[in-house]
Amino acid sequence: MNTSKSGKDYAFIFCTADYSNGWTDLNETKTAIIDLKSELSDNYNFQVEVFNDLKLAELKNNLAEINSRNFSDKDQVLFFFTGHGYYKPESDNGYLIPSDGQSKWDYGDGWLSYAKLREYLSDNKAGHLLVAFDACHSGSFGKRTMGKPSATPWEKDADCNDIKRSSLRHVSRLFFSSGNKTERVPIQSEFLKRWLQCLKDYPKEKKFVVTDDDLREYINSVTSSSPIDGDFTGHTSSGKFVFIHKNACELITTPSQVADSTHWAGVQLERTALKANEHIELYGKCLHYEYALTILNGDDTGRYAISGQMVSCERKGDKPNQSNIFYMSSTEVTVKEFKLFIDSSGYQTYAGEEGSSGSQCYCEGDDELVWTENVNWRHDSYGKLLQPLQYDYPVVHISWYDAIAYCNWRSELDSLTPVYTITDKKIIWSRKANGYRLPTIDEWKLLADGPEKNGMWGGANDRTSRNKFINQMSDQDTFPALAPVGSFFANGYGMADMLGNVSEWCWDQVVDTDLCDSKEEPNFYGARVTGQSGYCRVHLGGDWSEQDLHLYQKEAEKANHPLYRSGRIGFRIARNKN
């Protein structure tokens, strides 16, 4: 299949490492630039040109020549600049230093101001520009983006042709810088390292389209400086920039390919050497072979904690002398697990759909939960985008319906019978099915009590030791908000985080018109809500923002509209033995 878009992708890399007028040489960057060129050209089909150590006149001439080319509105052009930079706070101007730039301030003479560079780049005819700066003080280039990243169109529909069309729909003028306008950055570039890491990691996860939002996740994990991003002249609000891997449109059609893909999803969930070895034995040198080897050899740097073991428990049946064995996960579902669900199914959560009011979170400066647009499962309780190393947190900003959809997907993944039949928003529970589901109130409380029969303290013997078991509003633990699942002691049944951390959706519904009759704007819960009022779904256990005295008492048996979501509610899964 021809994987090229109707437009073409270009990259122009300007690397200044050798200086003639007193600036420190930056030879360390040359090797990384070679790696970036190879990655873009070999794996992402970019036409790459590298310009080394240009003088000011040469830099201007090359930029003018590039702008004279007949780019189309469907072409993507990446400009990557690396070298020294300078910032003049009195005039709030920043400068890029060419190879012949003077070492001392002379009213910017011999340097290229970011304002002037912005003019050069704005003249480019391509429909999509991404400009990157690995230079000191480069944050002064453009307008910083304050909003949260929006969901990309292909998260909903993974069809290859739609990916291509969606990436070209709106004009984009975006930039990334390795630091803010007042900041010097280290010679050993962590910024460039994160770029390469992102472009190389995503195909290993069988994700072949890397967006500017994906890059942002990696770049924001830089610790040696404070990277920023934004847009500049000509950008439209929905404009995107994408890197489409050469394998993006590879079809999976044969039964063996389908089986390979399904088994690999299980490897991604467990990330154990045993499971990776099993995959290699079954499918040999398949698309996942190299990544399976990294897991097998213990080199999987992306390995995150997943929900714990399924703990078994026996409950009384509906009839005399009847008992039923069920299982419940020992921790909440993590961001990592939920991400796999989204990536493999194309499901879109209610917080992420077009026209949605997002989710409730604690925004900076607010003591109360507020509805915030563009906040979804990728964010923490404060609406901040989670970094990959935080993917072992419990997933939040999830509606009850989203949790139901995850349960059915997970059932199919593990070759179990899905529990729920979903028709519009009518959910029917097939009680004989052996797939994953949400626990009932009775099941949840049975395991929360533990053998200690003291659910008040989440497994602790008394209040004095509760902070070893409960993530709550307290100065006695090390987590200001969410904690990675399983960070606290489990109760005697092996159940962790039953109290605190996040409140957890359950199956049960209650009638409560005060909570469920939405009187806010029509899109308050999402565009898909129609005629939903008068009933709520229960969530139990309280969360990190509450005190322990309220976690297990009646106040903690809360209920909300099934389309409600916030940074305080997640879920865990259960299933029947047979």
Side-chain angles (χ1 to χ4, degrees):
M1 172 177 285
N2 180 7
T3 63
S4 63
K5 307 194 307 300
S6 54
K8 296 181 179 179
D9 298 329
Y10 302 86
F12 302 102
I13 302 175
F14 294 82
C15 175
T16 307
D18 295 328
Y19 290 85
S20 58
N21 289 325
W23 292 91
T24 303
D25 289 342
L26 303 173
N27 295 320
E28 294 85 351
T29 63
K30 289 186 175 180
T31 300
I33 287 298
I34 293 173
D35 290 343
L36 178 62
K37 176 183 182 297
S38 298
E39 188 67 26
L40 289 171
S41 60
D42 295 347
N43 294 320
Y44 288 89
N45 300 316
F46 272 71
Q47 299 179 32
V48 185
E49 296 179 41
V50 178
F51 303 87
N52 287 309
D53 304 320
L54 298 184
K55 297 177 181 179
L56 179 60
E58 295 171 333
L59 177 57
K60 290 181 177 179
N61 288 338
N62 277 282
L63 287 172
E65 188 279 323
I66 291 171
N67 283 340
S68 70
R69 302 184 190 184
N70 292 321
F71 298 112
S72 78
D73 59 355
K74 296 180 180 179
D75 290 336
Q76 295 193 129
V77 176
L78 167 67
F79 288 93
F80 199 104
F81 297 89
T82 179
H84 282 296
Y86 186 87
Y87 175 66
K88 188 68 173 175
E90 293 82 358
S91 59
D92 195 28
N93 286 325
Y95 299 85
L96 190 67
I97 312 299
S99 65
D100 62 343
Q102 301 178 63
S103 61
K104 294 184 180 180
W105 169 253
D106 188 15
Y107 298 95
D109 188 36
W111 301 345
L112 181 61
S113 71
Y114 287 122
K116 188 65 177 179
L117 179 58
R118 198 163 55 242
E119 289 183 25
Y120 276 104
L121 299 178
S122 296
D123 288 339
N124 193 282
K125 300 179 182 66
H128 311 276
L129 296 185
L130 175 60
V131 186
F133 298 95
D134 193 6
C136 297
H137 312 295
S138 52
S140 58
F141 172 78
K143 180 178 66 176
R144 185 175 183 181
T145 300
M146 300 304 293
K148 303 293 189 301
S150 59
T152 50
W154 42 88
E155 286 179 341
K156 181 179 180 181
D157 187 352
D159 176 76
C160 179
N161 292 320
D162 282 350
I163 289 173
K164 297 170 184 176
R165 288 192 295 268
S166 297
S167 69
L168 304 173
R169 195 169 294 167
H170 304 283
V171 174
S172 57
R173 296 289 187 268
L174 301 167
F175 81 92
F176 286 97
S177 71
S178 56
N180 61 44
K181 64 183 180 181
T182 64
E183 194 171 37
R184 295 176 61 86
V185 297
I187 293 177
Q188 295 287 350
S189 176
E190 189 180 358
F191 176 78
L192 183 49
K193 179 181 178 181
R194 296 299 183 196
W195 268 73
L196 284 166
Q197 184 182 358
C198 181
L199 294 176
K200 292 179 179 180
D201 279 358
Y202 268 73
K204 294 177 182 178
E205 296 276 357
K206 206 182 175 186
K207 181 173 182 179
F208 298 120
V209 179
V210 179
T211 71
D212 52 282
D213 288 338
D214 297 325
L215 272 176
R216 183 180 293 108
E217 286 192 38
Y218 274 73
I219 291 171
N220 285 345
S221 66
V222 169
T223 58
S224 57
S225 59
S226 306
I228 67 170
D229 61 271
D231 55 71
F232 61 101
T233 309
H235 181 71
T236 57
S237 60
S238 298
K240 309 295 294 180
F241 197 98
V242 297
F243 299 80
I244 299 182
H245 194 273
K246 62 184 180 182
N247 293 333
C249 300
E250 184 174 279
L251 292 177
I252 299 178
T253 55
T254 68
S256 62
Q257 288 175 320
V258 173
D260 178 358
S261 179
T262 302
H263 187 273
W264 179 249
V267 177
Q268 290 287 77
L269 277 176
E270 294 189 18
R271 291 184 182 271
T272 62
L274 182 64
K275 196 73 173 178
N277 185 64
E278 180 183 85
H279 191 81
I280 292 172
E281 289 182 349
L282 287 172
Y283 302 104
K285 291 189 175 182
C286 62
L287 182 63
H288 317 107
Y289 176 72
E290 291 187 2
Y291 194 36
L293 283 179
T294 65
I295 299 175
L296 185 62
N297 297 328
D299 298 326
D300 180 21
T301 56
R303 184 174 181 178
Y304 306 106
I306 63 171
S307 286
Q309 301 289 330
M310 296 294 289
V311 174
S312 64
C313 189
E314 186 174 3
R315 66 174 182 271
K316 292 183 178 180
D318 299 326
K319 300 178 180 179
N321 301 319
Q322 180 187 33
S323 64
N324 298 301
I325 295 177
F326 70 96
Y327 301 96
M328 192 186 301
S329 59
S330 62
T331 57
E332 302 106 340
V333 172
T334 64
V335 176
K336 180 63 179 178
E337 290 176 299
F338 201 81
K339 182 178 186 298
L340 181 59
F341 160 53
I342 296 294
D343 290 346
S344 63
S345 68
Y347 180 84
Q348 185 172 19
T349 63
Y350 283 82
E353 71 173 6
E354 185 176 353
S356 165
S357 292
S359 183
Q360 284 203 323
C361 63
Y362 291 101
C363 292
E364 189 172 350
D366 290 311
D367 294 329
E368 300 293 333
L369 285 167
V370 295
W371 284 94
T372 308
E373 292 183 358
N374 299 323
V375 171
N376 54 39
W377 64 270
R378 298 177 183 272
H379 298 79
D380 68 8
S381 297
Y382 289 92
K384 294 181 179 179
L385 191 67
L386 291 162
Q387 304 307 310
L389 291 178
Q390 296 173 303
Y391 284 0
D392 54 355
Y393 283 13
V395 66
V396 291
H397 304 298
I398 297 300
S399 74
W400 184 84
Y401 286 112
D402 296 330
I404 290 291
Y406 174 89
C407 288
N408 272 3
W409 168 82
R410 181 69 182 271
S411 297
E412 293 177 349
L413 181 67
D414 289 353
S415 300
L416 300 173
T417 303
V419 167
Y420 302 116
T421 301
I422 304 173
T423 305
D424 192 17
K425 291 183 183 63
K426 185 177 181 180
I427 312 296
I428 300 175
W429 175 6
S430 175
R431 295 179 182 265
K432 293 183 179 180
N434 64 349
Y436 296 104
R437 56 179 175 78
L438 295 177
T440 65
I441 292 177
D442 290 341
E443 290 171 338
W444 192 96
K445 288 186 174 181
L446 181 63
L447 282 173
D449 270 337
E452 305 89 355
K453 302 301 179 185
N454 187 9
M456 173 70 74
W457 310 120
N461 293 324
D462 52 52
R463 188 177 184 184
T464 59
S465 59
R466 69 195 185 283
N467 288 305
K468 295 180 180 179
F469 292 81
I470 306 172
N471 178 26
Q472 59 174 330
M473 182 64 74
S474 168
D475 58 2
Q476 300 297 313
D477 64 56
T478 59
F479 300 99
L482 294 175
V485 300
S487 295
F488 293 78
F489 288 0
N491 66 19
Y493 282 152
M495 303 297 293
D497 304 320
M498 294 298 283
L499 302 188
N501 216 14
V502 294
S503 189
E504 300 170 11
W505 286 116
C506 291
W507 164 258
D508 303 71
Q509 72 178 39
V510 294
V511 175
D512 191 330
T513 55
D514 290 336
L515 283 175
C516 297
D517 284 336
S518 175
K519 299 177 182 179
E520 293 81 3
E521 66 272 17
N523 70 342
F524 186 67
Y525 288 118
R528 286 179 276 183
V529 59
T530 54
Q532 298 294 311
S533 63
Y535 73 93
C536 289
R537 295 290 177 170
V538 172
H539 51 92
L540 297 175
D543 61 83
W544 60 267
S545 68
E546 299 179 274
Q547 298 288 346
D548 55 37
L549 289 177
H550 298 288
L551 291 174
Y552 193 74
Q553 295 173 354
K554 183 66 177 177
E555 289 89 338
E557 188 172 309
K558 299 177 180 178
N560 280 97
H561 192 290
L563 285 173
Y564 176 79
R565 57 264 175 191
S566 84
R568 307 196 314 184
I569 302 177
F571 69 104
R572 71 178 74 212
I573 55 177
R575 74 177 184 89
N576 298 336
K577 181 180 179 181
N578 299 310

